[in-house]
Amino acid sequence: ISGIGHFCSFILLGASLCFVMPVESTSHILTKIVFFAGGAEIMQLHVDERTPQLIDFFLDVSGGILGIMLFTLLFLKKNTNMSHL
């Protein structure tokens, strides 16, 4: 369940960052996701009964990438449909 939570929350983060920062390039948004994922794992060093795990970092980044891709696909599809009007 923890891995699924990491993945899904970063899907939402990736899509949300694309939505609130539409002028940012994809590489800038991806960089932010990498820093958020790394920061989340580093913070776990200071929480009792939690340990940072490399697999969680990769799940976070993978989820963020999927969120960016989904937002981009949906946004481009929406703009493509509107351009025919």
Side-chain angles (χ1 to χ4, degrees):
I1 296 271
S2 176
I4 294 170
H6 279 266
F7 188 74
C8 292
S9 63
F10 272 77
I11 289 174
L12 293 174
L13 178 63
S16 298
L17 287 175
C18 288
F19 180 75
V20 299
M21 297 187 303
V23 296
E24 289 284 330
S25 69
T26 302
S27 62
H28 284 126
I29 293 173
L30 183 56
T31 301
K32 289 172 183 14
I33 288 171
V34 169
F35 280 114
F36 282 135
E41 293 307 308
I42 290 171
M43 285 189 319
Q44 290 184 27
L45 288 169
H46 306 288
V47 177
D48 291 337
E49 300 179 11
R50 296 289 304 193
T51 56
Q53 295 183 357
L54 194 56
I55 188 69
D56 287 343
F57 172 79
F58 287 119
L59 284 169
D60 294 347
V61 174
S62 298
I65 291 169
L66 182 59
I68 291 169
M69 290 171 55
L70 289 173
F71 182 85
T72 303
L73 288 172
L74 292 173
F75 182 73
L76 289 178
K77 183 177 179 181
K78 182 178 177 183
N79 281 345
T80 302
N81 290 339
M82 297 297 286
S83 67
H84 294 294
L85 296 177

